[in-house]
Amino acid sequence: MAEKTSADRPGEWKAEGAVAAAAVADRTDEIRASVYELVAEFARTAPAVEVAVGGGATERRALEAVSRTADVVEKAYVAVAVALLAAAILLWKLTLPTIDPNRMTDLGLVSILPPAFYLSLVLLCTGFAWQVAYRRVNSVLPYLYLVALIFILHATPPIIYQTLRYSWAWKHLGIVDYIQRHGTVDPAASFLSAYHNWPGLFVVTAWFADLFDARPIDLASVLQFTPVALNIALLAVFLWLLESFTEDRRLLLTAGWFFVAANWIGQDYFSPQGITFLLYLVLLGLFLGPLRQSRSKIATLRPRLLNRLGPPASPAGLKSTEVGRLPAALFAALAMATILAIVVTHQLTPLVVILSASLLVILGWIAPSYLVFALVAETIWLLWGAAPFVYSQLQSQIASFGELSEATSKLANLALVSPDRAWVVWVGRVLSTMILLFALYGGLRRLKRGYWDLTAAALVLSPAPFLAVAYGGESVFRVYLFSLPFLAFFTAAAFFPSPRCGRPALVFPILGVACILSAVGLLFANDGKDREYRFTLDEVAASEWLYSTAPPGSLLIEGARSYPSQFMNYENFSYLPISEESERTKERIVDDPDGVLARWMRDPRWKDAYVILTRSQKAYLEAGGYMHRGDFDRIENALLVSPRFIVVYASPNVKVFTLLKPKQGLADIPGARRN
């Protein structure tokens, strides 16, 4: 049949225009509400079709014309998005050699970052918010933006510091060293005993270290990048977990951003908590994905008030899933293996698993057998594997149970810390508060649109009972950490409460600002203590010298424990940190450093005794308000001029002293050195 133009059918133009417009609408579904939305909208109008048809084009050719226009704009869009990402990464990389960690103040990492670094973050945040707001979420680009965010935030410290960050990461290496030397752990150990009673991570690490004939000091150069690797793994598992809650990729990706940017608690280093937090998310992903039972009966209890607010679009907040019997059995075995790994690795996380599993059982999502398995595994481990620690700590934990002051005792006292450190503390608190407020707002927006996210809300609250537990004063931080995945979900819902909500022109600038503020907030809150958490190469070398030189049974007096400490032969020594002494004792030390310390070191219990004073200890004592400014220098200078002491190791950032014995000089001390 010969083709007919609109001129041949003057009365049929409107019908053809409608057909062409419908075809164009189908073709442009993916590009709707993007930067070239105006082009697509124009192509769907009658005048545009009239131009195409009036010129002799058929419906197909009209569609092809619009498609070519859309493809050109699509390629331009992708090019801009890629350019923004590449520019952000390149700019970040170029700034790294210009950052001098020696200039750091009590503001931490942010005090030494150049303007170009923040510009790279602005480009990254702008590109990400642009893509999400305009629904460009079906490609790999937004995910690459999230990975780039992790690298910029978490790879910067190890690259510029060149050493393993944070003293507890070094102590964890000390447990690995112990296992390598003894082939086992000591549950009755008097120091770092919790790690000997929950040794899962350290046993596996020691096995790998032996496999590659590596010492803990060798592992440090690799493990300094743990925050990067762990955050990428956490993000991947988190996005997989959230697919059980929503099919809206805008919501999912935005939640991923806030999950990364609001996680300032600092448990993403080489630690049992970091690994078990990852395993916890894996377990929830299994529970709410392949192991989830049929539709929850709780949906039938939906209050009438919620029905008035909106239809029950997704009453429990979970999409349906079906898994065959064999895969389900494999997933069940994986879930039980994950529970066992958590139980033998960390003290607190198994209890969070039990609370979360209990809620999921009540909601009808998982079989009670998983809860029973977790309870039995935890009980056996507490009464057998970790029995020495449990028996020694049970009375003190019971005595402090229910005291909120104990659960929050690690919160900084703003009256004591330095002014810069106070800013760091306030930014962390404001960041957490804003996440909580946005999450509440997002939850209400979801509720108004008929999404009864009971499961996500329950998992936000599941760790709350631990506010009644002391846990070394860190309970409040751990509660926030375990609530964060679902707080991030509700925070993202503040921008995208449903697939149809979220006007690009309005959401884009607000989301862009929120992304920038959260990323900068993380730099303050997570890296604000890096003046004491960052260790120089000579501090690492001095610690290695001391732990390999001091004879077993020696006393090691430390200004504070914030230095590369106890990563080898740690059980051979007794430790006395000045920072943990009473205020009266610290005043006595400052008034008469050589007299007080000499008396301690002459105690016949010690085979030998040393005083180690480092730059990072000084930063910890002064920024945290544990000593007045100048007191640390007064102690060091007094020992330098004292006839009772001799410097056995000296470098720009470290001094190691010992008592000068009669007729003894530096040459008489094995291994003594000055750099």
Side-chain angles (χ1 to χ4, degrees):
M1 183 179 294
E3 293 183 352
K4 292 185 178 181
T5 67
S6 60
D8 299 320
R9 302 180 297 169
E12 299 177 4
W13 176 82
K14 289 186 178 181
E16 284 198 357
V19 171
V24 171
D26 291 337
R27 170 64 181 85
T28 56
D29 273 348
E30 292 186 358
I31 60 174
R32 193 189 310 266
S34 65
V35 293
Y36 55 97
E37 183 179 8
L38 293 177
V39 174
E41 289 294 325
F42 173 76
R44 291 201 300 272
T45 61
V49 178
E50 182 178 11
V51 170
V53 177
T58 63
E59 296 94 333
R60 179 178 58 81
R61 290 179 180 175
L63 176 59
E64 290 175 351
V66 174
S67 296
R68 284 193 297 271
T69 302
D71 288 341
V72 169
V73 179
E74 169 74 0
K75 291 178 181 178
Y77 174 88
V78 172
V80 171
V82 171
L84 281 173
L85 177 61
I89 295 175
L90 180 61
L91 196 58
W92 167 67
K93 186 176 180 180
L94 292 175
T95 63
L96 294 177
T98 68
I99 302 174
D100 181 8
N102 292 317
R103 295 174 46 246
M104 192 181 303
T105 70
D106 287 346
L107 285 174
L109 184 62
V110 295
S111 65
I112 56 173
L113 295 177
F117 182 95
Y118 296 103
L119 179 58
S120 71
L121 269 182
V122 170
L123 293 176
L124 193 73
C125 297
T126 302
F128 178 82
W130 182 28
Q131 292 176 89
V132 174
Y134 285 93
R135 298 177 184 268
R136 305 306 301 159
V137 292
N138 293 322
S139 70
V140 72
L141 269 175
Y143 298 92
L144 294 179
Y145 270 80
L146 288 174
V147 173
L149 173 69
I150 291 173
F151 270 88
I152 291 177
L153 294 179
H154 294 289
T156 299
I159 290 175
I160 65 175
Y161 300 165
Q162 299 182 351
T163 59
L164 182 63
R165 174 181 173 272
Y166 192 41
S167 62
W168 280 100
W170 289 93
K171 292 177 177 65
H172 294 165
L173 285 178
I175 306 299
V176 176
D177 171 70
Y178 184 98
I179 296 172
Q180 284 186 290
R181 288 184 289 108
H182 296 277
T184 185
V185 293
D186 179 14
S190 59
F191 188 64
L192 299 180
S193 56
Y195 299 131
H196 286 272
N197 286 269
W198 283 270
L201 172 64
F202 309 117
V203 170
V204 173
T205 305
W207 182 82
F208 274 105
D210 288 338
L211 188 64
F212 293 98
D213 195 25
R215 301 178 305 152
I217 192 68
D218 302 320
L219 295 177
S221 59
V222 176
L223 294 177
Q224 62 181 320
F225 290 97
T226 298
V228 178
L230 189 54
N231 275 285
I232 290 175
L234 284 168
L235 175 64
V237 174
F238 171 74
L239 294 177
W240 168 62
L241 167 62
L242 236 60
E243 287 180 353
S244 298
F245 290 84
T246 181
E247 294 180 348
D248 187 350
R249 292 197 174 274
R250 299 174 307 155
L251 176 57
L252 187 145
L253 287 164
T254 305
W257 181 283
F258 289 116
F259 176 67
V260 172
N263 187 7
W264 62 270
I265 300 301
Q267 292 298 318
D268 51 5
Y269 67 107
F270 174 64
S271 66
Q273 177 67 97
I275 297 300
T276 54
F277 182 52
L278 173 64
L279 295 178
Y280 171 70
L281 295 185
V282 169
L283 190 62
L284 289 183
L286 292 172
F287 283 164
L288 298 176
L291 297 179
R292 182 159 55 84
Q293 296 186 132
S294 59
R295 186 177 180 85
S296 172
K297 295 180 181 179
I298 199 73
T300 61
L301 304 178
R302 193 171 192 263
R304 291 182 179 179
L305 173 61
L306 300 185
N307 290 325
R308 294 177 182 175
L309 292 174
S314 180
L318 299 176
K319 64 180 184 180
S320 60
T321 181
E322 293 183 5
V323 179
R325 288 186 178 181
L326 180 59
L330 295 176
F331 285 125
L334 178 59
M336 289 186 286
T338 303
I339 291 172
L340 289 176
I342 292 173
V343 165
V344 303
T345 302
H346 195 239
Q347 309 99 291
L348 185 66
T349 309
L351 304 179
V352 180
V353 168
I354 291 170
L355 287 174
S356 300
S358 299
L359 291 173
L360 295 179
V361 168
I362 294 172
L363 293 174
W365 291 130
I366 63 171
S369 55
Y370 296 106
L371 174 59
V372 173
F373 182 83
L375 284 168
V376 171
E378 175 68 357
T379 301
I380 291 175
W381 190 255
L382 290 177
L383 297 179
W384 175 64
F389 182 87
V390 172
Y391 296 154
S392 65
Q393 298 292 321
L394 186 60
Q395 184 175 355
S396 62
Q397 289 295 323
I398 292 176
S400 62
F401 184 80
E403 296 185 15
L404 184 60
S405 60
E406 291 293 328
T408 59
S409 61
K410 284 294 182 68
L411 290 174
N413 186 339
L414 296 179
L416 298 178
V417 301
S418 67
D420 284 349
R421 177 59 54 81
W423 273 103
V424 170
V425 173
W426 273 116
V427 170
R429 294 177 181 179
V430 169
L431 177 59
S432 301
T433 302
M434 294 308 298
I435 290 293
L436 291 171
L437 293 177
F438 269 85
L440 179 61
Y441 176 62
L444 292 175
R445 292 196 73 187
R446 291 273 293 178
L447 190 64
K448 184 178 180 180
R449 284 156 182 81
Y451 291 90
W452 197 30
D453 297 302
L454 181 59
T455 305
L459 291 171
V460 166
L461 298 175
S462 62
F466 289 101
L467 290 174
V469 180
Y471 199 69
E474 296 186 0
S475 292
V476 64
F477 302 113
R478 305 304 171 94
V479 168
Y480 175 80
L481 176 67
F482 284 105
S483 298
L484 180 60
F486 307 99
L487 288 174
F489 169 75
F490 285 117
T491 299
F495 299 92
F496 307 109
S498 71
R500 294 187 177 183
C501 290
R503 293 171 54 191
L506 178 62
V507 171
F508 169 46
I510 299 175
L511 179 60
V513 171
C515 289
I516 294 170
L517 292 178
S518 60
V520 175
L522 182 80
L523 290 172
F524 272 93
N526 188 69
D527 303 307
K529 296 182 179 181
D530 277 12
R531 185 166 165 250
E532 65 199 53
Y533 286 173
R534 165 243 173 183
F535 307 126
T536 58
L537 291 171
D538 65 318
E539 286 178 293
V540 175
S543 296
E544 184 180 12
W545 173 86
L546 179 61
Y547 294 131
S548 60
T549 302
S554 295
L555 171 67
L556 304 184
I557 299 177
E558 312 155 322
R561 284 179 173 159
S562 185
Y563 72 106
S565 62
Q566 300 151 359
F567 62 88
M568 58 185 294
N569 303 323
Y570 91 90
E571 78 281 6
N572 291 340
F573 314 114
S574 295
Y575 305 90
L576 200 163
I578 296 173
S579 61
E580 297 187 12
E581 293 297 312
S582 66
E583 290 301 317
R584 183 176 180 181
T585 300
K586 282 188 281 191
E587 291 175 1
R588 288 172 49 213
I589 294 173
V590 173
D591 292 339
D592 183 18
D594 58 336
V596 174
L597 298 183
R599 285 195 299 273
W600 290 355
M601 297 169 71
R602 289 197 181 101
D603 192 307
R605 290 178 294 172
W606 319 124
K607 187 170 183 180
D608 207 341
Y610 298 83
V611 178
I612 178 170
L613 304 176
T614 72
R615 177 208 56 82
S616 54
Q617 293 174 8
K618 176 183 177 181
Y620 171 84
L621 290 166
E622 293 184 348
Y626 302 104
M627 271 190 175
H628 299 295
R629 289 191 178 273
D631 285 352
F632 186 91
D633 292 333
R634 190 174 296 110
I635 294 172
E636 182 177 303
N637 292 332
L639 298 185
L640 285 171
V641 300
S642 172
R644 302 170 179 170
F645 286 87
I646 184 172
V647 179
V648 292
Y649 190 104
S651 66
N653 296 291
V654 187
K655 299 292 187 295
V656 181
F657 302 87
T658 191
L659 288 174
L660 183 62
K661 300 177 181 61
K663 300 182 180 180
Q664 182 187 42
L666 187 63
D668 301 315
I669 302 175
R673 56 184 294 186
R674 294 175 184 245
N675 289 347

